[in-house]
Amino acid sequence: MSTDHPRQAAAADEPRNTAATPASPELQALRERIDGIDREIQALITERAQFAGQVGRAKGELAAAIDYYRPEREAQVLRRVVDRNEGPLDDGALVRLFREIMSACLAQQEPLKIGFLGPEGTHSQQAVYKHFGHSIHGLPLVSLEEVFGEVESGAADFGVVPVENSTQGTIQSTLDMFLTSRVRICGEVEMRVHQHLLSRGGRIEDIERVYSHPQSFAQCKAWLRQYLPDAEKIPVASNAEAARRARNADDAAAIAGISAATVYGLKNVAGPIEDRPDNTTRFLVLGRELFPPSGNDRTSLLVFIKDQPGALHHVLAPFARHGLSMNRIESRPGHTGRWQYAFFIDVGGHANEDAMRRALDELAEFAQEVRVLGSYPVAIV
Amino acid sequence: MSTDHPRQAAAADEPRNTAATPASPELQALRERIDGIDREIQALITERAQFAGQVGRAKGELAAAIDYYRPEREAQVLRRVVDRNEGPLDDGALVRLFREIMSACLAQQEPLKIGFLGPEGTHSQQAVYKHFGHSIHGLPLVSLEEVFGEVESGAADFGVVPVENSTQGTIQSTLDMFLTSRVRICGEVEMRVHQHLLSRGGRIEDIERVYSHPQSFAQCKAWLRQYLPDAEKIPVASNAEAARRARNADDAAAIAGISAATVYGLKNVAGPIEDRPDNTTRFLVLGRELFPPSGNDRTSLLVFIKDQPGALHHVLAPFARHGLSMNRIESRPGHTGRWQYAFFIDVGGHANEDAMRRALDELAEFAQEVRVLGSYPVAIV
């Protein structure tokens, strides 16, 4: 460009590609149809915001979002969106749009304050936005303890913390917080996690060694067999360590999340490359209340029992008897003499539904203590 | 909770607050109205997506988003949204919703790939989402050079880079990239930047010293006079340095962005506390094309001239003559013998409009070279 003659340079003002083509009559007609649709959408969103404002005012003159936010109601709205959807947009895109619409309607007075394990840019923050939309006030916090503490004290309306990964398993430090905290679980969020092949040069043909955590290798086995069958696979302690090593050689690559590319100055060779489309991290939404059933709920329990023969059977039997399916059970050794074991249990259903009530009553006969951590809508897409 | 009797613990299953109150008939009626509205909104969004798909197919069987993304068209749609808006949602909330709707409709085939200065969680990433919505594929990159390079090579469809801050002024390294790069500017994004008072203890009554950058003190002068009139104000080199120092004493605080709270383990005492509501960072959207006028555009020029008497007057005069208002001018010393000065100039209007054409022709008579970096829609809220 710097060799352009002035006149030529001035002539370069003209857009020089398809973008400059005047819209055809058909395109123009399509755009006018879309403009008409946008007018209607806007009128409806405005009407929706007015009704939502009335719901808020029904709760008090200047009700803050926390006073009329109802997770079970949001879950019902979103399930109907999914049920009605026949494309062309996928369920995820439509759910995201309706989350944002509800988020904007809810934030008319004072937006929800949501604490999460910071800093900004973490998967936790993404989970916050996925669940609550963007019309909220995010509070990045430095530790799990602080997220639980800010929710408990009311400084945050809700909190979002990771609790398990489909590959790495349960995050014990999160579960252990419930042993002492009185916060409740009022939602769950599932987030896909992607793996990428990263290298300094960014060219797959240069790669002779691949570093990664063994679990990440396992997740990308088929992809590696197809595209890098001859490369040496070198397991290391973490994907961050893998990225750090890949930085130092032209023939090395790492399997890691895309964010490691920025941190370690690597290029994205390929990705997502995980074989299974269900590599997912699950987050819990923390609050101070239990909410009514949404129609498709999960209940998280913390059960303290004495160590005695058949203890596990006694814990499991009531749920089986009442036809409730257990999604997960984790035992934790006791820290005090009062009880020998704590079980974290996820069961399908809501604590206010009859079958669950009866199961919990029967469990209470046997257990030292049964604590309902929360009954909340099952994650939606 | 751990002292609960088993029976009591089981009884705690009952939601115990307003959330459990069955919906009143009025609330129920409101919810049904909202459900009806949601059905209509969904039908319209679906119809919109179908029409948008037709626009895409008109461009080719499987047109990628880049082939039919039109920034001038999006700007027109959003301006109409703002013009029509009479509340209760504010313009920002409605524009955000329509950005997301357009983003989802556009991403039906292959979403736009947007490069930005990473890592994730930066203001640049927020600017990407603000401008393109969330139905895009974000590429966090390690340097300005890489953002320009990935856009130029086509690896990214667009890039987003910061170019000036209302307090700190122009980011020279961004402007200098245009001296050698051939990318075009096809949009601008403005983002509010907030200041917070952060301290270890989080209580304003403990604070006797405040650290910050002098510019941040200046931004929060009225707030400090009102709430911390007697605290000592200690200027330091950066807000990060301020946060680092505040970490070490109970009676100290820092003025900084909220993200510094996480990084340095501080609590948010108050914020946003800047006096002027216009503390803003401006970003440029980089692409490879010039797009047609949207009706309210800005043109960025790079003008190379020889050092001679009256040079600046010669640069400015054509715009004044044709009634074009200049928003900004920055001169940069030349690096070669070919020209002595380069001017970066922002002018109201589009390079395809008559007045601008004539002004550019006149300027070209005098200048060594006139390069149109881009003509693009003025930022919308």
Side-chain angles (χ1 to χ4, degrees), chain A residues 13 17 38 96 135 289 372, chain B residues 13 17 48 135 289 372:
Chain A
D13 304 341
N17 55 19
D38 285 346
R96 196 162 57 232
S135 298
E289 302 176 11
V372 176
Chain B
D13 304 341
N17 56 17
R48 192 194 202 285
S135 297
E289 302 176 10
V372 176

Side-chain angles (χ1 to χ4, degrees), chain A residues 110-182:
Chain A
E110 194 191 322
L112 290 176
K113 296 186 289 291
I114 317 289
F116 63 94
L117 198 55
E120 300 189 33
T122 56
H123 283 124
S124 290
Q125 188 187 31
Q126 291 173 33
V128 167
Y129 289 134
K130 182 175 179 192
H131 193 76
F132 290 100
H134 282 72
S135 298
I136 55 109
H137 183 60
L139 305 171
L141 301 170
V142 288
S143 65
L144 277 177
E145 286 73 15
E146 208 175 325
V147 179
F148 277 76
E150 296 289 275
V151 172
E152 204 160 351
S153 73
D157 295 322
F158 295 96
V160 172
V161 292
V163 68
E164 63 179 309
N165 178 271
S166 61
T167 306
Q168 291 154 2
T170 299
I171 297 159
Q172 292 299 353
S173 49
T174 299
L175 285 191
D176 286 349
M177 289 299 302
F178 290 102
L179 294 173
T180 51
S181 173
R182 287 178 307 153

Side-chain angles (χ1 to χ4, degrees), chain A residues 261-336:
Chain A
T262 313
V263 177
Y264 294 94
L266 300 173
K267 291 189 176 135
N268 184 29
V269 182
I273 61 167
E274 66 274 12
D275 303 327
R276 292 170 53 194
D278 58 354
N279 189 34
T280 301
T281 298
R282 179 172 173 250
F283 296 82
L284 296 177
V285 179
L286 307 177
R288 294 178 295 276
E289 302 176 11
L290 292 173
F291 290 91
S294 76
N296 183 17
D297 300 282
R298 199 190 313 284
T299 294
S300 292
L301 303 168
L302 176 52
V303 181
F304 297 93
I305 59 168
K306 283 194 187 142
D307 188 20
Q308 53 184 266
L312 185 58
H313 168 74
H314 280 293
V315 169
L316 301 182
F319 300 107
R321 245 188 326 265
H322 293 282
L324 299 168
S325 67
M326 195 171 297
N327 308 108
R328 208 162 68 93
I329 182 163
E330 303 254 345
S331 66
R332 304 287 290 146
H335 298 296
T336 76

Side-chain angles (χ1 to χ4, degrees), chain A residues 6-7 9 13-14 17 35 38-39 42 48 81 84 96 134-135 142 289 357 360 365 370 372, chain B residues 7 9 13-14 17 38-39 42 48 80-81 84 96 134-135 262 289 357 360 365 368 370 372:
Chain A
R7 281 309 197 161
D13 304 341
E14 311 271 352
N17 55 19
D35 290 342
D38 285 346
R39 252 193 318 274
Q42 184 170 354
R48 190 193 202 287
V81 167
R84 282 192 294 250
R96 196 162 57 232
H134 282 72
S135 298
V142 288
E289 302 176 11
R357 270 179 202 275
L360 291 175
E365 301 280 350
V370 176
V372 176
Chain B
R7 280 308 196 165
D13 304 341
E14 312 269 353
N17 56 17
D38 285 346
R39 252 194 317 276
Q42 185 170 356
R48 192 194 202 285
R80 277 197 286 266
V81 166
R84 281 192 295 250
R96 197 161 58 231
H134 283 73
S135 297
T262 314
E289 302 176 10
R357 268 179 205 275
L360 291 175
E365 300 280 349
Q368 296 284 106
V370 177
V372 176

Side-chain angles (χ1 to χ4, degrees), chain B residues 8 82 118 120 151 193 212 267 277 286 290 326 338-339 379:
Chain B
Q8 287 172 322
V82 170
E120 300 188 35
V151 172
V193 173
S212 199
K267 291 190 176 133
L286 307 177
L290 292 173
M326 195 171 297
R338 270 195 71 247
W339 45 272

Side-chain angles (χ1 to χ4, degrees), chain A residues 4-76:
Chain A
D4 280 352
H5 182 271
R7 281 309 197 161
Q8 286 173 325
D13 304 341
E14 311 271 352
R16 294 167 304 181
N17 55 19
T18 55
T21 315
S24 66
E26 302 88 76
L27 184 56
Q28 200 47 45
L30 276 174
R31 286 186 173 170
E32 278 166 24
R33 295 290 295 272
I34 290 175
D35 290 342
I37 291 172
D38 285 346
R39 252 193 318 274
E40 290 183 67
I41 292 175
Q42 184 170 354
L44 287 163
I45 289 175
T46 296
E47 202 184 345
R48 190 193 202 287
Q50 285 160 345
F51 281 124
Q54 287 180 33
V55 173
R57 277 188 295 278
K59 297 281 176 185
E61 193 46 54
L62 276 168
I66 180 65
D67 296 320
Y68 62 103
Y69 171 73
R70 290 293 166 268
E72 80 283 6
R73 160 83 181 148
E74 292 211 344
Q76 289 163 349

